[in-house]
Amino acid sequence: MTAVLSLRDVGIRYSPDPRAPLAVRNVTLDVRQGETLGLVGESGSGKSSLAAAMAGLLPRQATTVGQVQFDGQDMAAMDARAQRRLRGAKIATIAQDPFTSLNPVVRIGRQLVEFQHWRTDLNATARWRRAVEMLARVGLSDPDIRMKQFPHQLSGGIRQRVAIAAALLVNPRLLIADEPTTALDATTEDQIIELIRAARAQIEGAVVFITHDMGVVRRLCDKMAVLYAGELVEAGPVDQVFADPRHPYTRALLACDPAGIEEPSRNLPTIPGVVPPPGALPPGCIFAPRCPAARAVCQTEKPPRLPVAPGRAAACHLIEATA
Ligand code: ADP
Ligand code: MG
């Protein structure tokens, strides 16, 4: 089956200058229909950059190298109009702050009608009715009243539900959610995660869910890809990676996961050190300066990406290929 989304050696730089460093390097991954891919990593790992490249939403000065295929079609080979059409009709994104996906000065109803502009088969009344139904479906009471409100009149949780309704109105092939619950309290977070799970069942497509919360990955995702400083360090099925993480960075992230700690406290362990910026990467393994297991080879040589089981890979000198 053709993947909904397929990335091959994708790199991203935030400058048209080819000498500028790549913020994301050599990312290869597939997301198939019905799958939810969890993209994890600390802040600065390149998660949002990759999401923007998937959705075709990188800023104008940015350039992408490698190949991004959507339903088997090469995005770079499409003209601007075809790309815009694809984005509007097939890819929906839910951002961390719904203010970035919702226009603050336009009432919710008008925005939700506008989101359906690809549905040329529906007139304005039908689009309005569909929007009201969708607001009810994402659990909002008084959807008719919501339709007349502005985004700032809604709480963060309700705004995020509106953003999910907007995404579902597109009936996307690919739904990308970039840390959609970071700004919400725990109860609202739970509700939004359940809504996204329900959304996956509703759309005929795939979901990419970005988070730094490993507990959310375990609850929601089938596959996961761990990014560090712009590179994929480990990828595979969620249950396998959780049961047997092979990269020291994945192990460190799991150790920081509150769900895996018997007595959760406000002081979670953190990984000492910081993610290096794209222009100042260490010479060998990019994680070596922070890695508790690093040896001499790690400081000087870049580890290859090794298959560790069918559908699993990790890039670390300390593991041997087994698949
Ligand atoms: P994450 O979402 O995992 O926190 P980002 O994709 O936001 O990571 O950032 C990855 C790297 O790309 C960082 O080094 C960041 O500074 C750089 N970056 C992100 N957005 C921009 C931008 N608009 N212009 C220049 N650099 C950027
Ligand atoms: Mg981000």
Side-chain angles (χ1 to χ4, degrees), residues 169-212:
L169 282 169
V170 173
N171 190 21
R173 274 290 279 165
L174 181 66
L175 174 64
I176 302 172
D178 189 353
E179 308 212 37
T181 62
T182 307
L184 307 174
D185 64 79
T187 312
T188 314
E189 170 172 42
D190 269 2
Q191 294 165 348
I192 296 295
I193 287 168
E194 286 316 313
L195 263 183
I196 290 175
R197 191 201 303 284
R200 177 180 62 172
Q202 223 175 92
I203 63 174
E204 281 174 56
V207 177
V208 173
F209 193 93
I210 296 175
T211 177
H212 53 254

Short mmCIF file of all heavy atoms in Angstrom, two decimals, residues 169-212:
data_model
loop_
_atom_site.label_atom_id
_atom_site.label_comp_id
_atom_site.label_asym_id
_atom_site.label_seq_id
_atom_site.Cartn_x
_atom_site.Cartn_y
_atom_site.Cartn_z
N LEU A 169 -13.46 19.16 9.23
CA LEU A 169 -14.30 19.64 8.12
C LEU A 169 -13.59 19.46 6.79
O LEU A 169 -14.21 19.34 5.74
CB LEU A 169 -14.67 21.11 8.33
CG LEU A 169 -15.78 21.35 9.35
CD1 LEU A 169 -15.88 22.83 9.69
CD2 LEU A 169 -17.12 20.83 8.83
N VAL A 170 -12.26 19.43 6.84
CA VAL A 170 -11.48 19.22 5.63
C VAL A 170 -11.51 17.74 5.22
O VAL A 170 -11.28 17.39 4.08
CB VAL A 170 -10.01 19.69 5.87
CG1 VAL A 170 -9.10 19.34 4.73
CG2 VAL A 170 -9.98 21.19 6.15
N ASN A 171 -11.84 16.86 6.19
CA ASN A 171 -11.74 15.41 5.99
C ASN A 171 -10.37 15.05 5.41
O ASN A 171 -10.26 14.51 4.30
CB ASN A 171 -12.87 14.88 5.11
CG ASN A 171 -12.91 13.36 5.11
OD1 ASN A 171 -12.40 12.73 6.04
ND2 ASN A 171 -13.48 12.78 4.09
N PRO A 172 -9.31 15.34 6.15
CA PRO A 172 -7.96 15.28 5.57
C PRO A 172 -7.44 13.86 5.38
O PRO A 172 -7.87 12.94 6.07
CB PRO A 172 -7.13 16.00 6.63
CG PRO A 172 -7.83 15.74 7.92
CD PRO A 172 -9.30 15.70 7.58
N ARG A 173 -6.51 13.72 4.46
CA ARG A 173 -5.75 12.48 4.31
C ARG A 173 -4.66 12.45 5.38
O ARG A 173 -4.21 11.41 5.81
CB ARG A 173 -5.07 12.44 2.93
CG ARG A 173 -5.92 11.91 1.84
CD ARG A 173 -6.16 10.42 1.97
NE ARG A 173 -5.06 9.60 1.47
CZ ARG A 173 -4.94 8.31 1.76
NH1 ARG A 173 -5.82 7.71 2.54
NH2 ARG A 173 -3.94 7.62 1.26
N LEU A 174 -4.20 13.65 5.73
CA LEU A 174 -3.14 13.75 6.73
C LEU A 174 -3.51 14.83 7.75
O LEU A 174 -3.78 15.97 7.38
CB LEU A 174 -1.81 14.11 6.06
CG LEU A 174 -0.60 14.22 6.99
CD1 LEU A 174 -0.26 12.87 7.60
CD2 LEU A 174 0.61 14.77 6.23
N LEU A 175 -3.56 14.41 9.02
CA LEU A 175 -3.84 15.36 10.09
C LEU A 175 -2.56 15.50 10.91
O LEU A 175 -2.03 14.52 11.41
CB LEU A 175 -4.98 14.82 10.96
CG LEU A 175 -5.32 15.61 12.23
CD1 LEU A 175 -5.82 17.00 11.88
CD2 LEU A 175 -6.38 14.87 13.05
N ILE A 176 -2.06 16.72 11.01
CA ILE A 176 -0.82 16.95 11.76
C ILE A 176 -1.16 17.79 12.99
O ILE A 176 -1.72 18.87 12.88
CB ILE A 176 0.22 17.72 10.90
CG1 ILE A 176 0.52 16.93 9.63
CG2 ILE A 176 1.50 17.96 11.70
CD1 ILE A 176 1.40 17.69 8.64
N ALA A 177 -0.86 17.25 14.17
CA ALA A 177 -1.12 17.98 15.41
C ALA A 177 0.22 18.26 16.08
O ALA A 177 0.95 17.34 16.42
CB ALA A 177 -2.03 17.16 16.32
N ASP A 178 0.57 19.53 16.23
CA ASP A 178 1.87 19.92 16.80
C ASP A 178 1.67 20.38 18.25
O ASP A 178 1.26 21.49 18.49
CB ASP A 178 2.49 21.02 15.95
CG ASP A 178 3.94 21.31 16.37
OD1 ASP A 178 4.41 20.76 17.39
OD2 ASP A 178 4.60 22.11 15.68
N GLU A 179 1.96 19.51 19.18
CA GLU A 179 1.82 19.76 20.62
C GLU A 179 0.49 20.44 20.95
O GLU A 179 0.46 21.49 21.59
CB GLU A 179 2.99 20.61 21.12
CG GLU A 179 4.33 20.02 20.71
CD GLU A 179 5.45 20.27 21.70
OE1 GLU A 179 5.17 20.25 22.91
OE2 GLU A 179 6.59 20.46 21.26
N PRO A 180 -0.63 19.82 20.53
CA PRO A 180 -1.92 20.51 20.65
C PRO A 180 -2.42 20.66 22.09
O PRO A 180 -3.36 21.39 22.33
CB PRO A 180 -2.88 19.61 19.86
CG PRO A 180 -2.28 18.25 19.96
CD PRO A 180 -0.79 18.47 19.95
N THR A 181 -1.78 19.96 23.04
CA THR A 181 -2.32 20.02 24.41
C THR A 181 -1.38 20.71 25.39
O THR A 181 -1.66 20.79 26.58
CB THR A 181 -2.61 18.59 24.94
OG1 THR A 181 -1.39 17.85 24.98
CG2 THR A 181 -3.60 17.87 24.05
N THR A 182 -0.27 21.23 24.89
CA THR A 182 0.74 21.81 25.78
C THR A 182 0.19 22.95 26.64
O THR A 182 0.58 23.10 27.79
CB THR A 182 1.94 22.31 24.94
OG1 THR A 182 2.36 21.22 24.13
CG2 THR A 182 3.10 22.73 25.81
N ALA A 183 -0.72 23.73 26.07
CA ALA A 183 -1.20 24.90 26.80
C ALA A 183 -2.42 24.57 27.68
O ALA A 183 -3.00 25.47 28.29
CB ALA A 183 -1.55 26.00 25.80
N LEU A 184 -2.80 23.29 27.76
CA LEU A 184 -4.06 22.95 28.43
C LEU A 184 -3.83 22.24 29.77
O LEU A 184 -2.80 21.61 29.99
CB LEU A 184 -4.90 22.05 27.52
CG LEU A 184 -5.14 22.58 26.10
CD1 LEU A 184 -5.84 21.52 25.27
CD2 LEU A 184 -5.93 23.87 26.14
N ASP A 185 -4.83 22.30 30.65
CA ASP A 185 -4.74 21.55 31.91
C ASP A 185 -4.95 20.06 31.64
O ASP A 185 -5.38 19.67 30.55
CB ASP A 185 -5.79 22.07 32.91
CG ASP A 185 -7.19 21.84 32.39
OD1 ASP A 185 -7.69 20.69 32.49
OD2 ASP A 185 -7.80 22.80 31.87
N ALA A 186 -4.62 19.22 32.64
CA ALA A 186 -4.59 17.77 32.43
C ALA A 186 -5.93 17.18 31.98
O ALA A 186 -5.99 16.32 31.10
CB ALA A 186 -4.11 17.07 33.70
N THR A 187 -7.04 17.66 32.56
CA THR A 187 -8.36 17.12 32.20
C THR A 187 -8.70 17.46 30.75
O THR A 187 -9.14 16.60 29.97
CB THR A 187 -9.45 17.71 33.12
OG1 THR A 187 -8.99 17.60 34.45
CG2 THR A 187 -10.76 17.00 32.95
N THR A 188 -8.48 18.71 30.39
CA THR A 188 -8.77 19.13 29.02
C THR A 188 -7.85 18.40 28.05
O THR A 188 -8.26 17.98 26.97
CB THR A 188 -8.58 20.66 28.88
OG1 THR A 188 -9.22 21.28 29.98
CG2 THR A 188 -9.18 21.17 27.59
N GLU A 189 -6.60 18.20 28.46
CA GLU A 189 -5.65 17.47 27.63
C GLU A 189 -6.18 16.07 27.31
O GLU A 189 -6.18 15.64 26.16
CB GLU A 189 -4.30 17.36 28.35
CG GLU A 189 -3.34 16.40 27.63
CD GLU A 189 -1.93 16.39 28.19
OE1 GLU A 189 -1.80 16.41 29.43
OE2 GLU A 189 -0.99 16.36 27.38
N ASP A 190 -6.67 15.37 28.35
CA ASP A 190 -7.26 14.04 28.15
C ASP A 190 -8.37 14.07 27.12
O ASP A 190 -8.45 13.21 26.24
CB ASP A 190 -7.88 13.56 29.47
CG ASP A 190 -6.88 12.78 30.28
OD1 ASP A 190 -5.72 12.66 29.84
OD2 ASP A 190 -7.27 12.30 31.36
N GLN A 191 -9.24 15.06 27.25
CA GLN A 191 -10.39 15.14 26.34
C GLN A 191 -9.94 15.39 24.90
O GLN A 191 -10.46 14.79 23.96
CB GLN A 191 -11.35 16.25 26.79
CG GLN A 191 -11.99 15.95 28.14
CD GLN A 191 -12.64 17.19 28.76
OE1 GLN A 191 -12.43 18.32 28.30
NE2 GLN A 191 -13.42 16.98 29.80
N ILE A 192 -8.95 16.25 24.75
CA ILE A 192 -8.47 16.57 23.40
C ILE A 192 -7.79 15.34 22.78
O ILE A 192 -7.97 15.05 21.59
CB ILE A 192 -7.50 17.78 23.43
CG1 ILE A 192 -8.24 19.05 23.90
CG2 ILE A 192 -6.85 18.01 22.07
CD1 ILE A 192 -9.34 19.55 23.00
N ILE A 193 -7.06 14.59 23.58
CA ILE A 193 -6.40 13.38 23.07
C ILE A 193 -7.44 12.36 22.62
O ILE A 193 -7.33 11.74 21.56
CB ILE A 193 -5.42 12.81 24.10
CG1 ILE A 193 -4.20 13.72 24.15
CG2 ILE A 193 -5.00 11.38 23.76
CD1 ILE A 193 -3.27 13.46 25.29
N GLU A 194 -8.49 12.21 23.41
CA GLU A 194 -9.56 11.28 23.01
C GLU A 194 -10.23 11.75 21.71
O GLU A 194 -10.59 10.94 20.86
CB GLU A 194 -10.59 11.10 24.12
CG GLU A 194 -10.09 10.26 25.29
CD GLU A 194 -9.34 8.98 24.84
OE1 GLU A 194 -9.86 8.26 23.96
OE2 GLU A 194 -8.23 8.73 25.35
N LEU A 195 -10.39 13.06 21.58
CA LEU A 195 -10.98 13.60 20.35
C LEU A 195 -10.12 13.30 19.13
O LEU A 195 -10.61 12.98 18.06
CB LEU A 195 -11.12 15.12 20.47
CG LEU A 195 -12.45 15.68 20.89
CD1 LEU A 195 -12.36 17.20 20.87
CD2 LEU A 195 -13.56 15.21 19.95
N ILE A 196 -8.80 13.40 19.32
CA ILE A 196 -7.90 13.14 18.20
C ILE A 196 -7.91 11.66 17.86
O ILE A 196 -7.89 11.27 16.69
CB ILE A 196 -6.48 13.68 18.49
CG1 ILE A 196 -6.54 15.21 18.47
CG2 ILE A 196 -5.46 13.16 17.47
CD1 ILE A 196 -5.28 15.92 18.84
N ARG A 197 -8.03 10.82 18.88
CA ARG A 197 -8.16 9.39 18.62
C ARG A 197 -9.44 9.11 17.80
O ARG A 197 -9.43 8.37 16.83
CB ARG A 197 -8.23 8.63 19.95
CG ARG A 197 -8.10 7.12 19.78
CD ARG A 197 -8.65 6.37 20.97
NE ARG A 197 -8.03 6.74 22.23
CZ ARG A 197 -6.83 6.33 22.63
NH1 ARG A 197 -6.14 5.53 21.86
NH2 ARG A 197 -6.33 6.71 23.77
N ALA A 198 -10.54 9.76 18.21
CA ALA A 198 -11.80 9.59 17.48
C ALA A 198 -11.66 10.15 16.06
O ALA A 198 -12.21 9.57 15.10
CB ALA A 198 -12.93 10.28 18.22
N ALA A 199 -10.93 11.24 15.94
CA ALA A 199 -10.75 11.86 14.62
C ALA A 199 -10.04 10.90 13.68
O ALA A 199 -10.38 10.78 12.51
CB ALA A 199 -9.94 13.15 14.75
N ARG A 200 -9.07 10.17 14.22
CA ARG A 200 -8.34 9.23 13.37
C ARG A 200 -9.29 8.17 12.81
O ARG A 200 -9.18 7.76 11.66
CB ARG A 200 -7.21 8.55 14.12
CG ARG A 200 -6.54 7.54 13.22
CD ARG A 200 -5.43 6.81 13.86
NE ARG A 200 -5.87 6.04 15.01
CZ ARG A 200 -5.07 5.19 15.66
NH1 ARG A 200 -3.83 5.06 15.29
NH2 ARG A 200 -5.53 4.53 16.69
N ALA A 201 -10.23 7.73 13.64
CA ALA A 201 -11.17 6.71 13.18
C ALA A 201 -12.09 7.27 12.10
O ALA A 201 -12.60 6.55 11.26
CB ALA A 201 -11.97 6.19 14.36
N GLN A 202 -12.27 8.60 12.16
CA GLN A 202 -13.23 9.23 11.25
C GLN A 202 -12.63 9.56 9.88
O GLN A 202 -13.33 9.52 8.88
CB GLN A 202 -13.65 10.53 11.92
CG GLN A 202 -15.11 10.83 11.85
CD GLN A 202 -15.37 12.09 12.64
OE1 GLN A 202 -15.36 13.18 12.09
NE2 GLN A 202 -15.59 11.95 13.93
N ILE A 203 -11.36 9.93 9.87
CA ILE A 203 -10.77 10.31 8.59
C ILE A 203 -10.20 9.08 7.90
O ILE A 203 -9.83 8.11 8.55
CB ILE A 203 -9.65 11.38 8.75
CG1 ILE A 203 -8.49 10.83 9.58
CG2 ILE A 203 -10.21 12.64 9.36
CD1 ILE A 203 -7.30 11.77 9.67
N GLU A 204 -10.15 9.12 6.58
CA GLU A 204 -9.52 8.03 5.85
C GLU A 204 -8.10 8.46 5.55
O GLU A 204 -7.77 8.84 4.44
CB GLU A 204 -10.28 7.74 4.58
CG GLU A 204 -11.52 6.91 4.84
CD GLU A 204 -12.34 6.76 3.58
OE1 GLU A 204 -11.79 6.30 2.58
OE2 GLU A 204 -13.52 7.15 3.62
N GLY A 205 -7.28 8.43 6.57
CA GLY A 205 -5.93 8.91 6.37
C GLY A 205 -5.05 8.60 7.55
O GLY A 205 -5.29 7.63 8.28
N ALA A 206 -4.04 9.42 7.74
CA ALA A 206 -3.05 9.18 8.78
C ALA A 206 -2.91 10.41 9.66
O ALA A 206 -3.32 11.51 9.29
CB ALA A 206 -1.71 8.85 8.14
N VAL A 207 -2.36 10.18 10.86
CA VAL A 207 -2.17 11.27 11.80
C VAL A 207 -0.69 11.35 12.19
O VAL A 207 -0.05 10.33 12.41
CB VAL A 207 -3.02 11.04 13.08
CG1 VAL A 207 -2.76 12.14 14.11
CG2 VAL A 207 -4.51 10.97 12.75
N VAL A 208 -0.15 12.56 12.22
CA VAL A 208 1.19 12.78 12.80
C VAL A 208 0.98 13.61 14.05
O VAL A 208 0.41 14.69 14.00
CB VAL A 208 2.12 13.51 11.81
CG1 VAL A 208 3.44 13.86 12.49
CG2 VAL A 208 2.37 12.65 10.58
N PHE A 209 1.39 13.04 15.19
CA PHE A 209 1.16 13.71 16.47
C PHE A 209 2.51 14.07 17.09
O PHE A 209 3.33 13.21 17.36
CB PHE A 209 0.38 12.78 17.40
CG PHE A 209 -0.17 13.49 18.60
CD1 PHE A 209 -1.45 14.01 18.59
CD2 PHE A 209 0.62 13.66 19.73
CE1 PHE A 209 -1.95 14.69 19.70
CE2 PHE A 209 0.12 14.34 20.84
CZ PHE A 209 -1.16 14.85 20.82
N ILE A 210 2.71 15.36 17.30
CA ILE A 210 3.99 15.83 17.84
C ILE A 210 3.83 16.15 19.32
O ILE A 210 2.88 16.82 19.72
CB ILE A 210 4.43 17.09 17.09
CG1 ILE A 210 4.68 16.71 15.64
CG2 ILE A 210 5.67 17.71 17.72
CD1 ILE A 210 5.01 17.87 14.77
N THR A 211 4.76 15.65 20.10
CA THR A 211 4.67 15.90 21.54
C THR A 211 6.03 15.69 22.17
O THR A 211 6.91 15.06 21.57
CB THR A 211 3.64 14.95 22.19
OG1 THR A 211 3.62 15.16 23.60
CG2 THR A 211 3.98 13.48 21.94
N HIS A 212 6.25 16.23 23.37
CA HIS A 212 7.45 15.81 24.09
C HIS A 212 7.05 14.92 25.26
O HIS A 212 7.86 14.58 26.09
CB HIS A 212 8.30 17.02 24.53
CG HIS A 212 7.52 18.01 25.30
ND1 HIS A 212 7.14 19.22 24.77
CD2 HIS A 212 7.01 17.98 26.55
CE1 HIS A 212 6.43 19.88 25.67
NE2 HIS A 212 6.34 19.15 26.75
#
